[in-house]
Amino acid sequence: LPFDISGARIQASELVRQILLFSRAESVELEPMLLQHVVKEALALLRSTISAGVEFKTDVDRRAPVVLANATQIHQVMMNLGVNASHAMPEQGGRLTVTLRQQLLAAPLAEELADLSPGAHVCLEMTDNGSGMEPDVRARVFEPFFTTKKVGAGTGLGLAVVRSIVRSHRGAIRVRSQPGRGTTFELFFPVHAIPAAANGSGAVELPRGRGQHILFVDDEAAIARSAQIMLERLGYRVTSFTQPEQALAHFWTAPDAFDLVITDFQMPGMTGIALAKKVLAHRPALPVFVVSGFAGKNTGEIMRSQGITGFLPKPIDLAELAEALARSLR
């Protein structure tokens, strides 16, 4: 039989990549973040990756609290689960439902999940209406190198990586599935208790603006509004938009009216980097910041090489934001 060298190389490359992800899952740095931002950006990439015949339904609670997480690894988890779900759906398409919610885990469920303690958690749930799994397959689904796909069609490490990542986040995962009735993966992450801010004379005073005009762009209306309030409290004047095209149109009417631009990275129709380049083409010296829970390979260094002033991770830290703006607007 003829041997497909190119196919073997791709399969070997994917196997090595998954092994590296599996081995690194326990050694990543976790930081406080809102999963809403990471979920939104991962879904945008997933939408461009899998068949257009797959319908997406989302229910993301914007009030879901902060957890300790690594944005890159949560992104990898969602990609693995989403691609797996698409493979279980019929060729003509199916439905993928993604839910993010706060959930109070009672003792019986926490005991069932073994790795968790009762209390407040954030649950990320992905459900497909695909072929589902037989009980014997469901019992082995997280085993390394176990796969039901054809030879050469998968490494069998995808779900093992997912479980390893979730455990490294001090969380737990469970799967519910029935043949012909789809599959649901539930990922539970403990809520991160943020220490109360210190009071008294020892509190550090944040640097404030002097009425400089900031253009803020984020397609999430709640984020745009909360950021505007935050910036105004720091002493800045803010004009905010939820559509990058509208923000650009407004900018063109009076490009010299703004002292700084802050834009989300992942937005429908135009990325933050694309918007930044259009703005900088007219005003190269204008400070521009890109904010994101996950920017992929677009590191701060790469962004700066394109004229962008800096990168701010989501959720935006007030002190970090105040310092970054003060440095740029001196």
Side-chain angles (χ1 to χ4, degrees), residues 213-270:
H213 195 182
I214 294 176
L215 177 64
F216 187 91
V217 191
D218 194 300
D219 63 303
E220 290 281 355
I223 295 175
R225 180 57 184 156
S226 62
Q228 181 169 348
I229 293 171
M230 186 188 301
L231 289 164
E232 288 174 347
R233 286 177 179 172
L234 286 173
Y236 297 100
R237 190 158 52 99
V238 183
T239 299
S240 64
F241 288 90
T242 56
Q243 296 183 29
E245 294 85 359
Q246 289 184 358
L248 268 179
H250 185 80
F251 176 82
W252 296 136
T253 63
D256 295 323
F258 295 99
D259 299 292
L260 186 142
V261 175
I262 302 175
T263 175
D264 186 26
F265 171 70
Q266 187 69 52
M267 297 181 291
M270 183 185 305

Side-chain angles (χ1 to χ4, degrees), residues 63-114:
R63 298 168 297 174
V66 171
V67 300
L68 282 176
N70 178 278
T72 302
Q73 290 209 330
I74 297 298
H75 195 275
Q76 182 64 46
V77 162
M78 291 193 62
M79 293 301 293
N80 277 5
L81 291 178
V83 170
N84 265 12
S86 70
H87 290 166
M89 295 178 192
E91 290 185 6
Q92 63 269 27
R95 184 174 63 253
L96 179 64
T97 304
V98 179
T99 303
L100 185 74
R101 64 179 183 273
Q102 182 174 359
Q103 183 167 338
L104 190 64
L105 254 63
L109 179 54
E111 185 176 346
E112 174 191 334
L113 294 168

Side-chain angles (χ1 to χ4, degrees), residues 2 4 32 43 57 93 100 106 120 155 222 246 254 256 325 329:
D4 182 1
L43 284 174
K57 293 187 66 177
L100 185 74
T155 64
Q246 289 184 358
D256 295 323
L325 297 186
L329 294 171

Side-chain angles (χ1 to χ4, degrees), residues 184-198:
T184 295
F185 286 93
E186 292 175 295
L187 287 60
F188 298 92
F189 302 94
V191 168
H192 176 57
I194 303 176

Side-chain angles (χ1 to χ4, degrees), residues 204 206-207 230 234 316-327:
V204 177
L206 299 177
M230 186 188 301
L234 286 173
I316 300 174
D317 179 81
L318 181 60
E320 184 179 359
L321 175 65
E323 292 287 349
L325 297 186
R327 284 194 305 270

Side-chain angles (χ1 to χ4, degrees), residues 129-295:
N129 66 339
S131 56
M133 292 181 277
E134 297 287 348
D136 58 330
V137 173
R138 188 177 67 244
R140 301 185 59 192
V141 75
F142 295 115
E143 291 181 14
F145 303 109
F146 174 76
T147 180
T148 58
K149 297 176 183 176
K150 297 178 181 179
V151 176
T155 64
L157 273 176
L159 291 177
V161 168
V162 167
R163 184 173 66 168
S164 182
I165 289 174
V166 173
R167 285 180 169 178
S168 76
H169 283 60
R170 306 182 186 94
I173 183 171
R174 72 170 177 173
V175 57
R176 294 181 282 114
S177 184
Q178 293 184 28
R181 301 187 65 179
T183 300
T184 295
F185 286 93
E186 292 175 295
L187 287 60
F188 298 92
F189 302 94
V191 168
H192 176 57
I194 303 176
N199 296 317
S201 59
V204 177
E205 185 175 349
L206 299 177
R208 296 180 55 79
R210 299 186 301 277
Q212 294 99 326
H213 195 182
I214 294 176
L215 177 64
F216 187 91
V217 191
D218 194 300
D219 63 303
E220 290 281 355
I223 295 175
R225 180 57 184 156
S226 62
Q228 181 169 348
I229 293 171
M230 186 188 301
L231 289 164
E232 288 174 347
R233 286 177 179 172
L234 286 173
Y236 297 100
R237 190 158 52 99
V238 183
T239 299
S240 64
F241 288 90
T242 56
Q243 296 183 29
E245 294 85 359
Q246 289 184 358
L248 268 179
H250 185 80
F251 176 82
W252 296 136
T253 63
D256 295 323
F258 295 99
D259 299 292
L260 186 142
V261 175
I262 302 175
T263 175
D264 186 26
F265 171 70
Q266 187 69 52
M267 297 181 291
M270 183 185 305
T271 68
I273 291 180
L275 186 148
K277 287 180 177 179
K278 292 178 183 294
V279 167
L280 291 168
H282 189 81
R283 288 189 58 192
L286 183 67
V288 178
F289 285 89
V290 173
V291 296
S292 177
F294 180 82

